[in-house]
mmCIF file with all atom_site columns, all heavy atoms in Angstrom:
data_model
loop_
_atom_site.group_PDB
_atom_site.id
_atom_site.type_symbol
_atom_site.label_atom_id
_atom_site.label_alt_id
_atom_site.label_comp_id
_atom_site.label_asym_id
_atom_site.label_entity_id
_atom_site.label_seq_id
_atom_site.pdbx_PDB_ins_code
_atom_site.Cartn_x
_atom_site.Cartn_y
_atom_site.Cartn_z
_atom_site.occupancy
_atom_site.B_iso_or_equiv
_atom_site.pdbx_formal_charge
_atom_site.auth_seq_id
_atom_site.auth_comp_id
_atom_site.auth_asym_id
_atom_site.auth_atom_id
_atom_site.pdbx_PDB_model_num
ATOM 1   N N   . LEU A 1 95  ? 120.865 169.050 269.546 1.00 91.00 ? 95  LEU A N   1
ATOM 2   C CA  . LEU A 1 95  ? 119.983 169.424 268.442 1.00 91.00 ? 95  LEU A CA  1
ATOM 3   C C   . LEU A 1 95  ? 119.087 170.607 268.810 1.00 91.00 ? 95  LEU A C   1
ATOM 4   O O   . LEU A 1 95  ? 118.736 171.412 267.952 1.00 91.00 ? 95  LEU A O   1
ATOM 5   C CB  . LEU A 1 95  ? 119.152 168.222 268.011 1.00 91.00 ? 95  LEU A CB  1
ATOM 6   C CG  . LEU A 1 95  ? 119.978 167.096 267.367 1.00 91.00 ? 95  LEU A CG  1
ATOM 7   C CD1 . LEU A 1 95  ? 119.113 165.881 267.096 1.00 91.00 ? 95  LEU A CD1 1
ATOM 8   C CD2 . LEU A 1 95  ? 120.650 167.562 266.083 1.00 91.00 ? 95  LEU A CD2 1
ATOM 9   N N   . LYS A 1 96  ? 118.713 170.719 270.074 1.00 89.00 ? 96  LYS A N   1
ATOM 10  C CA  . LYS A 1 96  ? 117.958 171.901 270.512 1.00 89.00 ? 96  LYS A CA  1
ATOM 11  C C   . LYS A 1 96  ? 118.821 173.150 270.354 1.00 89.00 ? 96  LYS A C   1
ATOM 12  O O   . LYS A 1 96  ? 118.354 174.193 269.882 1.00 89.00 ? 96  LYS A O   1
ATOM 13  C CB  . LYS A 1 96  ? 117.506 171.758 271.956 1.00 89.00 ? 96  LYS A CB  1
ATOM 14  C CG  . LYS A 1 96  ? 116.682 172.954 272.454 1.00 89.00 ? 96  LYS A CG  1
ATOM 15  C CD  . LYS A 1 96  ? 116.254 172.783 273.892 1.00 89.00 ? 96  LYS A CD  1
ATOM 16  C CE  . LYS A 1 96  ? 115.351 173.937 274.327 1.00 89.00 ? 96  LYS A CE  1
ATOM 17  N NZ  . LYS A 1 96  ? 116.007 175.266 274.188 1.00 89.00 ? 96  LYS A NZ  1
ATOM 18  N N   . HIS A 1 97  ? 120.080 173.034 270.733 1.00 88.00 ? 97  HIS A N   1
ATOM 19  C CA  . HIS A 1 97  ? 120.999 174.160 270.569 1.00 88.00 ? 97  HIS A CA  1
ATOM 20  C C   . HIS A 1 97  ? 121.127 174.532 269.094 1.00 88.00 ? 97  HIS A C   1
ATOM 21  O O   . HIS A 1 97  ? 121.103 175.718 268.732 1.00 88.00 ? 97  HIS A O   1
ATOM 22  C CB  . HIS A 1 97  ? 122.371 173.797 271.136 1.00 88.00 ? 97  HIS A CB  1
ATOM 23  C CG  . HIS A 1 97  ? 123.446 174.775 270.780 1.00 88.00 ? 97  HIS A CG  1
ATOM 24  N ND1 . HIS A 1 97  ? 123.605 175.978 271.432 1.00 88.00 ? 97  HIS A ND1 1
ATOM 25  C CD2 . HIS A 1 97  ? 124.397 174.736 269.802 1.00 88.00 ? 97  HIS A CD2 1
ATOM 26  C CE1 . HIS A 1 97  ? 124.616 176.641 270.880 1.00 88.00 ? 97  HIS A CE1 1
ATOM 27  N NE2 . HIS A 1 97  ? 125.117 175.911 269.896 1.00 88.00 ? 97  HIS A NE2 1
ATOM 28  N N   . VAL A 1 98  ? 121.243 173.526 268.240 1.00 89.00 ? 98  VAL A N   1
ATOM 29  C CA  . VAL A 1 98  ? 121.348 173.772 266.805 1.00 89.00 ? 98  VAL A CA  1
ATOM 30  C C   . VAL A 1 98  ? 120.114 174.508 266.300 1.00 89.00 ? 98  VAL A C   1
ATOM 31  O O   . VAL A 1 98  ? 120.215 175.447 265.502 1.00 89.00 ? 98  VAL A O   1
ATOM 32  C CB  . VAL A 1 98  ? 121.541 172.434 266.051 1.00 89.00 ? 98  VAL A CB  1
ATOM 33  C CG1 . VAL A 1 98  ? 121.271 172.598 264.567 1.00 89.00 ? 98  VAL A CG1 1
ATOM 34  C CG2 . VAL A 1 98  ? 122.948 171.903 266.276 1.00 89.00 ? 98  VAL A CG2 1
ATOM 35  N N   . SER A 1 99  ? 118.932 174.089 266.754 1.00 87.00 ? 99  SER A N   1
ATOM 36  C CA  . SER A 1 99  ? 117.688 174.740 266.332 1.00 87.00 ? 99  SER A CA  1
ATOM 37  C C   . SER A 1 99  ? 117.638 176.192 266.763 1.00 87.00 ? 99  SER A C   1
ATOM 38  O O   . SER A 1 99  ? 117.182 177.065 266.017 1.00 87.00 ? 99  SER A O   1
ATOM 39  C CB  . SER A 1 99  ? 116.482 173.997 266.902 1.00 87.00 ? 99  SER A CB  1
ATOM 40  O OG  . SER A 1 99  ? 116.438 172.670 266.460 1.00 87.00 ? 99  SER A OG  1
ATOM 41  N N   . ASP A 1 100 ? 118.116 176.472 267.964 1.00 86.00 ? 100 ASP A N   1
ATOM 42  C CA  . ASP A 1 100 ? 118.042 177.823 268.513 1.00 86.00 ? 100 ASP A CA  1
ATOM 43  C C   . ASP A 1 100 ? 119.074 178.762 267.897 1.00 86.00 ? 100 ASP A C   1
ATOM 44  O O   . ASP A 1 100 ? 118.798 179.945 267.680 1.00 86.00 ? 100 ASP A O   1
ATOM 45  C CB  . ASP A 1 100 ? 118.241 177.785 270.032 1.00 86.00 ? 100 ASP A CB  1
ATOM 46  C CG  . ASP A 1 100 ? 117.098 177.104 270.754 1.00 86.00 ? 100 ASP A CG  1
ATOM 47  O OD1 . ASP A 1 100 ? 116.007 176.996 270.148 1.00 86.00 ? 100 ASP A OD1 1
ATOM 48  O OD2 . ASP A 1 100 ? 117.295 176.667 271.903 1.00 86.00 ? 100 ASP A OD2 1
ATOM 49  N N   . ILE A 1 101 ? 120.272 178.223 267.608 1.00 82.00 ? 101 ILE A N   1
ATOM 50  C CA  . ILE A 1 101 ? 121.384 179.076 267.213 1.00 82.00 ? 101 ILE A CA  1
ATOM 51  C C   . ILE A 1 101 ? 121.596 179.119 265.702 1.00 82.00 ? 101 ILE A C   1
ATOM 52  O O   . ILE A 1 101 ? 121.857 180.166 265.125 1.00 82.00 ? 101 ILE A O   1
ATOM 53  C CB  . ILE A 1 101 ? 122.686 178.615 267.906 1.00 82.00 ? 101 ILE A CB  1
ATOM 54  C CG1 . ILE A 1 101 ? 122.511 178.630 269.419 1.00 82.00 ? 101 ILE A CG1 1
ATOM 55  C CG2 . ILE A 1 101 ? 123.862 179.486 267.478 1.00 82.00 ? 101 ILE A CG2 1
ATOM 56  C CD1 . ILE A 1 101 ? 122.141 179.988 269.993 1.00 82.00 ? 101 ILE A CD1 1
ATOM 57  N N   . HIS A 1 102 ? 121.472 177.989 265.029 1.00 76.00 ? 102 HIS A N   1
ATOM 58  C CA  . HIS A 1 102 ? 121.850 177.913 263.623 1.00 76.00 ? 102 HIS A CA  1
ATOM 59  C C   . HIS A 1 102 ? 120.695 178.287 262.687 1.00 76.00 ? 102 HIS A C   1
ATOM 60  O O   . HIS A 1 102 ? 120.826 179.206 261.885 1.00 76.00 ? 102 HIS A O   1
ATOM 61  C CB  . HIS A 1 102 ? 122.369 176.508 263.289 1.00 76.00 ? 102 HIS A CB  1
ATOM 62  C CG  . HIS A 1 102 ? 123.706 176.224 263.897 1.00 76.00 ? 102 HIS A CG  1
ATOM 63  N ND1 . HIS A 1 102 ? 124.862 176.175 263.156 1.00 76.00 ? 102 HIS A ND1 1
ATOM 64  C CD2 . HIS A 1 102 ? 124.087 175.971 265.177 1.00 76.00 ? 102 HIS A CD2 1
ATOM 65  C CE1 . HIS A 1 102 ? 125.893 175.915 263.953 1.00 76.00 ? 102 HIS A CE1 1
ATOM 66  N NE2 . HIS A 1 102 ? 125.442 175.778 265.184 1.00 76.00 ? 102 HIS A NE2 1
ATOM 67  N N   . ASP A 1 103 ? 119.595 177.575 262.760 1.00 79.00 ? 103 ASP A N   1
ATOM 68  C CA  . ASP A 1 103 ? 118.482 177.857 261.852 1.00 79.00 ? 103 ASP A CA  1
ATOM 69  C C   . ASP A 1 103 ? 117.203 177.337 262.491 1.00 79.00 ? 103 ASP A C   1
ATOM 70  O O   . ASP A 1 103 ? 117.051 176.132 262.690 1.00 79.00 ? 103 ASP A O   1
ATOM 71  C CB  . ASP A 1 103 ? 118.704 177.184 260.495 1.00 79.00 ? 103 ASP A CB  1
ATOM 72  C CG  . ASP A 1 103 ? 117.783 177.735 259.419 1.00 79.00 ? 103 ASP A CG  1
ATOM 73  O OD1 . ASP A 1 103 ? 116.579 177.897 259.697 1.00 79.00 ? 103 ASP A OD1 1
ATOM 74  O OD2 . ASP A 1 103 ? 118.258 177.993 258.302 1.00 79.00 ? 103 ASP A OD2 1
ATOM 75  N N   . ARG A 1 104 ? 116.283 178.232 262.791 1.00 82.00 ? 104 ARG A N   1
ATOM 76  C CA  . ARG A 1 104 ? 115.062 177.836 263.508 1.00 82.00 ? 104 ARG A CA  1
ATOM 77  C C   . ARG A 1 104 ? 114.146 176.956 262.676 1.00 82.00 ? 104 ARG A C   1
ATOM 78  O O   . ARG A 1 104 ? 113.277 176.288 263.225 1.00 82.00 ? 104 ARG A O   1
ATOM 79  C CB  . ARG A 1 104 ? 114.317 179.081 263.998 1.00 82.00 ? 104 ARG A CB  1
ATOM 80  C CG  . ARG A 1 104 ? 115.114 179.817 265.064 1.00 82.00 ? 104 ARG A CG  1
ATOM 81  C CD  . ARG A 1 104 ? 114.342 180.944 265.710 1.00 82.00 ? 104 ARG A CD  1
ATOM 82  N NE  . ARG A 1 104 ? 115.157 181.512 266.796 1.00 82.00 ? 104 ARG A NE  1
ATOM 83  C CZ  . ARG A 1 104 ? 114.677 181.789 267.990 1.00 82.00 ? 104 ARG A CZ  1
ATOM 84  N NH1 . ARG A 1 104 ? 113.419 181.553 268.260 1.00 82.00 ? 104 ARG A NH1 1
ATOM 85  N NH2 . ARG A 1 104 ? 115.465 182.300 268.917 1.00 82.00 ? 104 ARG A NH2 1
ATOM 86  N N   . ARG A 1 105 ? 114.325 176.961 261.356 1.00 88.00 ? 105 ARG A N   1
ATOM 87  C CA  . ARG A 1 105 ? 113.539 176.054 260.520 1.00 88.00 ? 105 ARG A CA  1
ATOM 88  C C   . ARG A 1 105 ? 113.800 174.600 260.886 1.00 88.00 ? 105 ARG A C   1
ATOM 89  O O   . ARG A 1 105 ? 112.969 173.726 260.642 1.00 88.00 ? 105 ARG A O   1
ATOM 90  C CB  . ARG A 1 105 ? 113.869 176.273 259.046 1.00 88.00 ? 105 ARG A CB  1
ATOM 91  C CG  . ARG A 1 105 ? 113.371 177.583 258.464 1.00 88.00 ? 105 ARG A CG  1
ATOM 92  C CD  . ARG A 1 105 ? 113.815 177.729 257.025 1.00 88.00 ? 105 ARG A CD  1
ATOM 93  N NE  . ARG A 1 105 ? 115.270 177.856 256.925 1.00 88.00 ? 105 ARG A NE  1
ATOM 94  C CZ  . ARG A 1 105 ? 115.942 177.795 255.785 1.00 88.00 ? 105 ARG A CZ  1
ATOM 95  N NH1 . ARG A 1 105 ? 115.288 177.591 254.632 1.00 88.00 ? 105 ARG A NH1 1
ATOM 96  N NH2 . ARG A 1 105 ? 117.258 177.939 255.775 1.00 88.00 ? 105 ARG A NH2 1
ATOM 97  N N   . PHE A 1 106 ? 114.944 174.338 261.488 1.00 91.00 ? 106 PHE A N   1
ATOM 98  C CA  . PHE A 1 106 ? 115.305 172.969 261.858 1.00 91.00 ? 106 PHE A CA  1
ATOM 99  C C   . PHE A 1 106 ? 114.357 172.395 262.903 1.00 91.00 ? 106 PHE A C   1
ATOM 100 O O   . PHE A 1 106 ? 114.284 171.179 263.082 1.00 91.00 ? 106 PHE A O   1
ATOM 101 C CB  . PHE A 1 106 ? 116.750 172.938 262.363 1.00 91.00 ? 106 PHE A CB  1
ATOM 102 C CG  . PHE A 1 106 ? 117.306 171.563 262.564 1.00 91.00 ? 106 PHE A CG  1
ATOM 103 C CD1 . PHE A 1 106 ? 117.357 170.651 261.519 1.00 91.00 ? 106 PHE A CD1 1
ATOM 104 C CD2 . PHE A 1 106 ? 117.786 171.160 263.799 1.00 91.00 ? 106 PHE A CD2 1
ATOM 105 C CE1 . PHE A 1 106 ? 117.862 169.374 261.691 1.00 91.00 ? 106 PHE A CE1 1
ATOM 106 C CE2 . PHE A 1 106 ? 118.302 169.897 263.989 1.00 91.00 ? 106 PHE A CE2 1
ATOM 107 C CZ  . PHE A 1 106 ? 118.340 168.998 262.940 1.00 91.00 ? 106 PHE A CZ  1
ATOM 108 N N   . ARG A 1 107 ? 113.601 173.254 263.589 1.00 91.00 ? 107 ARG A N   1
ATOM 109 C CA  . ARG A 1 107 ? 112.625 172.774 264.574 1.00 91.00 ? 107 ARG A CA  1
ATOM 110 C C   . ARG A 1 107 ? 111.530 171.936 263.914 1.00 91.00 ? 107 ARG A C   1
ATOM 111 O O   . ARG A 1 107 ? 110.841 171.160 264.594 1.00 91.00 ? 107 ARG A O   1
ATOM 112 C CB  . ARG A 1 107 ? 111.995 173.956 265.300 1.00 91.00 ? 107 ARG A CB  1
ATOM 113 C CG  . ARG A 1 107 ? 112.952 174.734 266.180 1.00 91.00 ? 107 ARG A CG  1
ATOM 114 C CD  . ARG A 1 107 ? 112.273 175.923 266.828 1.00 91.00 ? 107 ARG A CD  1
ATOM 115 N NE  . ARG A 1 107 ? 113.175 176.645 267.709 1.00 91.00 ? 107 ARG A NE  1
ATOM 116 C CZ  . ARG A 1 107 ? 112.842 177.739 268.394 1.00 91.00 ? 107 ARG A CZ  1
ATOM 117 N NH1 . ARG A 1 107 ? 111.594 178.219 268.283 1.00 91.00 ? 107 ARG A NH1 1
ATOM 118 N NH2 . ARG A 1 107 ? 113.713 178.342 269.172 1.00 91.00 ? 107 ARG A NH2 1
ATOM 119 N N   . LEU A 1 108 ? 111.344 172.096 262.620 1.00 91.00 ? 108 LEU A N   1
ATOM 120 C CA  . LEU A 1 108 ? 110.301 171.354 261.905 1.00 91.00 ? 108 LEU A CA  1
ATOM 121 C C   . LEU A 1 108 ? 110.751 169.949 261.509 1.00 91.00 ? 108 LEU A C   1
ATOM 122 O O   . LEU A 1 108 ? 110.004 169.237 260.833 1.00 91.00 ? 108 LEU A O   1
ATOM 123 C CB  . LEU A 1 108 ? 109.897 172.129 260.646 1.00 91.00 ? 108 LEU A CB  1
ATOM 124 C CG  . LEU A 1 108 ? 109.293 173.514 260.880 1.00 91.00 ? 108 LEU A CG  1
ATOM 125 C CD1 . LEU A 1 108 ? 109.058 174.211 259.539 1.00 91.00 ? 108 LEU A CD1 1
ATOM 126 C CD2 . LEU A 1 108 ? 107.994 173.416 261.666 1.00 91.00 ? 108 LEU A CD2 1
#
Side-chain angles (χ1 to χ4, degrees):
L95 293 174
K96 181 180 184 302
H97 169 79
V98 164
S99 300
D100 293 341
I101 302 301
H102 289 253
D103 195 315
R104 293 188 175 226
R105 290 177 294 169
F106 189 58
R107 293 178 178 179
L108 298 175

